[in-house]
Amino acid sequence: MTYVYRFGGGVSDGGKGDKNLLGGKGANLAEMASIGLPVPPGFTISTAMCTRYYEDGEQFPQDLREEVAAGIAHIESVTEKRFGDAQNPLLVSVRSGARVSMPGMMDTVLNLGLNDETVEGLAKKAGDERFAWDSYRRFIQMYADVVLELDHGAFEESLEIAKEDNGFTLDTEMTAEDWKKLVTVYKGLVEEQWGKPFPQDVQDQLWGAVGAVFGSWQSERAKVYRRLNDIPADWGTAVNVQAMVFGNMGDTSATGVAFTRDPSKGDRAYYGEFLINAQGEDVVAGIRTPQYLTKAAREEANAKPASMEEAMPEVYAELAAVFDQLETHYRDMQDIEFTVEQAKLWMLQTRSGKRTAKAALKIAVDMANEGLITREEAIARVDPAALDQLLHPTLDPNAKRDVLTKGLPASPGAASGKVVFDADAAERAAAAGEAVILVRVETSPEDIHGMHAAKGILTARGGMTSHAAVVARGMGRPCVSGAGSLSIDNKAKVMRVAGREVREGDILTLDGSTGEVMLGEVATVQPELAGDFGTLMAWADEVRRLKVRANAETPLDCQTARDFGAEGVGLCRTEHMFFDQARITAVRQMILAADEAGRRAALDKLLPEQRADFTAIFEVMAGLPVTVRLLDPPLHEFLPQQEAEFAEVATAAGVDVDTLKRRANELHEFNPMLGHRGCRLGVTYPEIYEIQARAIFEAALDVAEKSGEAPIPEVMIPLVATRRELELMKAVVDKAAQAVFAERGKTVEYLVGTMIELPRAALKAGEIAEVGEFFSFGTNDLTQTTLGVSRDDAARFLSTYVEKGIYAKDPFVSLDVDGVGELVSLAAERGRATRPGIKLGICGEHGGDPASIAFCEQVGLDYVSASPYRVPIARLAAAQAALKAR
Ligand code: PEP
Ligand code: MG
């Protein structure tokens, strides 16, 4: 047969490898049948038919009708019942089943094959009139809803009226006669709404249901679900037609759902619920409270009603054996549906169970230790991005949330605290021991101290690589950015959102992993880093090729990064050091100086400060490479922005207000991102880079002397476009090194290299590598300059671009492999051609993104560098990439 695949009764036309053709449910039913598990017989109409059905203008071809007849004959012969037979009727279920599960999106019809005659036969055969008529009314109700698409409210209402008239509260109080009467009412409703009587021909019923399942593939909710989950429309759904088994045939019957291990904690314990004398949808619908599966779970929950283990010990033992068999067979935790019909167990579904990050980790490590899977498989089983959930305190999933709005999930983790609207207030409150949430329209480098002091950061503007997002991730502070519906009034110290007001001092909670902003405090739970986490990380380290470094610029960040397993610093941004209160005045004096002599005088004040910064970092990173990037941002960022500040700053810097304003005006740029920044600063004011380089080498020698172990400084020049720029800057750095080495009579090993952040640099990488000893891909700027999209303004429209499929993902989050990626691989190739073995890394935000890391493995970079909290994610992603490449 071409479109129909049978299973059950010793036949399996398909198996678990046929998911694309049979859908997940169909493939696993065939597989379970093939390994001898009790599966009600049935057949699957393949997804290829769904595609053809739409191609043919929603028609069923004749050959399908013949194949389905053969499928029904198969079920009839196994069950020894006849479809549509008045004495011995076969009833079937008709269910959808796509390649991947689409929970609640698709349609199901149960008890199909009942009509005015077969209902009598069913009653006689089962010896239970009530059961037969209950099944018939359920069937009419479901069919009317799913296939005929009639208003189901009217059906529910009639049931309520019937119960009321009888003075009943529960469905179980309804007698056979009551159901019979309701069936008459239901048939009347169908005729009234549909204009035709309820179909009595079982073949009409069947084809109506098959058409409805195919039709549900194009329903609005299925389309939306597919869009959200990247499921192609041409996959189609399969249809499973299967003999009904009844969990509602009295007290020796039951239905349930189970996981072979705990899907939330990962413990090795069967986990699930069941209901005696019920059909599947009763468990899902929550009409009756389900009972526990195991005695242990019931006792732990202090619940009364007997567990399945206690109520049906024999069937339970059989079920437990099936759980073990399925887990061994599939080598993964399974999510299972079963039915017990008069003490006989039937399996209705199995699939790999969804689980939390914590459970994924525990299950992977346990299964490898049990010998069920290899360590490599364990590594591949855990989604690196999900580790995020484990590294930060998270919101207690059981706590109540009053959600005000949602922004971008810019930096994961949860935080609660009092609202403050400026960085100084944040610092003051934190010094007084208060937890605060810093709320800003957007943040700038001047807010760093407040961001550090705050427990969490909320901004109304900015995308995933905005200042707030990058800095917050680096600090491990939860951050929600770009919450566009916020309106912030800094003067009145109030923010408004969704018609509500939040004032300074009110408590907010942020969930940086979802972007949710909540009013009031929500309880959190702390992460656990030892145990399974440590074990899996150690396994990952054994297989990865890529080294993992951290983007870090404070000793604390460096320590966090080392604790998380970083093998060096891939990017130490130096500009944040310049904003420190103690030295901002000297920085401003340098900027305001009229000539080189004035600048040097100011820089001399900065030298010891800068040396102390590097010494502290090098001490933490001793023995490891530390890439220090020389000053990058435009100088005007260091000057005051607000009129009110000018007088104070002018006095502190020793100039008059007019001079200050004139200089600020001179430095003003229309497009600072493409302006006087990066190595352009070093080209115009070489003394700035010279002093920074001197501070680096002095600090390296100091640490080497003190601890006996030197760091390996890698001095990095930002925003280089041409060979000549790098040549000039390298000369400045080398000269500073020679001077320091001569003064001290000692040397340290060091490298001078460049960031590749501009398309020109990528194209001319061959020439640039004649000078540069390493490349680090600054993919934040490289994305911005290649796409011509400002990283600070992208949030406003990029989501629309992603929705419309112009970019598959936000290119500032996950590398645009086709475009920016081509420049990266081209630069790597040209760089290597000039300087074989040139050290290559990435330090843009993409260095912590698993998909981008997979690309870095392909291109053969030497390392990726990510913010400290993403180091473990990068380690696991690098291991997975290495395994894939094998
Ligand atoms: C980059 O551009 O990718 C980079 C790492 O530098 P920054 O984010 O500081 O511009
Ligand atoms: Mg950059």
Side-chain angles (χ1 to χ4, degrees), residues 259-262 266-269 323-335 351-353 355 359-379 381-382 532 535-536 539:
F259 290 88
T260 53
R261 299 187 192 215
D262 181 339
D267 291 341
R268 195 172 183 187
F323 288 168
D324 293 347
Q325 188 183 348
L326 282 174
E327 231 193 36
T328 314
H329 184 73
Y330 282 93
R331 306 167 71 241
D332 196 8
M333 186 263 266
Q334 296 294 294
D335 168 357
R351 61 183 176 198
S352 281
R355 60 205 83 178
L361 200 62
K362 176 155 180 55
I363 290 171
V365 170
D366 282 354
M367 285 190 168
N369 286 336
E370 288 158 24
L372 195 56
I373 58 176
T374 63
R375 285 184 180 184
E376 276 84 7
E377 283 172 305
I379 291 167
R381 291 262 174 107
V382 178
D532 300 319
T535 306
L536 193 82
W539 294 348

Side-chain angles (χ1 to χ4, degrees), residues 633-763:
L635 295 181
H636 67 79
E637 280 196 10
F638 298 96
L639 294 182
Q641 314 292 327
Q642 251 118 41
E643 184 67 35
E645 291 176 80
F646 276 105
E648 196 188 322
V649 168
T651 314
V655 296
D656 58 65
V657 173
D658 286 343
T659 309
L660 175 60
K661 282 191 175 163
R662 186 169 29 78
R663 186 71 180 131
N665 256 335
E666 278 167 19
L667 288 173
H668 171 79
E669 289 177 314
F670 287 102
N671 201 342
M673 269 291 180
L674 300 177
H676 194 180
R677 56 167 288 217
C679 67
R680 299 157 199 173
L681 294 172
V683 170
T684 41
Y685 309 120
E687 53 280 5
I688 301 179
Y689 279 13
E690 181 194 319
I691 292 298
Q692 284 197 293
R694 173 170 274 278
I696 293 169
F697 296 118
E698 289 180 354
L701 284 173
D702 284 349
V703 171
E705 236 159 66
K706 217 168 100 188
S707 69
E709 198 171 25
I712 306 151
E714 298 180 352
V715 182
M716 183 154 79
I717 312 298
L719 219 73
V720 161
T722 72
R723 179 190 190 280
R724 180 73 182 141
E725 279 171 324
L726 184 59
E727 198 172 43
L728 289 173
M729 293 305 98
K730 184 169 187 295
V732 170
V733 174
D734 285 337
K735 196 170 153 208
Q738 292 320 312
V740 173
F741 296 164
E743 287 160 25
R744 297 285 190 99
K746 286 205 183 83
T747 64
V748 286
E749 220 185 291
Y750 73 97
L751 299 176
V752 182
T754 181
M755 298 185 78
I756 302 287
E757 299 178 281
L758 298 173
R760 191 184 195 285
L763 294 169

Side-chain angles (χ1 to χ4, degrees), residues 15-30:
K16 69 176 177 190
D18 299 317
K19 274 201 186 127
N20 293 358
L21 195 60
L22 304 183
K25 188 191 274 282
N28 286 329
L29 282 168

Side-chain angles (χ1 to χ4, degrees), residues 470 551 571 573 575 629 632 677 755 757 777-782 791 843-845:
V470 173
N551 292 1
L571 175 63
R573 294 176 167 105
E575 53 269 21
R629 179 180 74 191
D632 183 41
R677 56 167 288 217
M755 298 185 78
E757 299 178 281
F777 290 95
T779 44
N780 300 333
D781 273 310
L782 189 59
R791 58 201 262 199
C843 64
E845 284 299 294

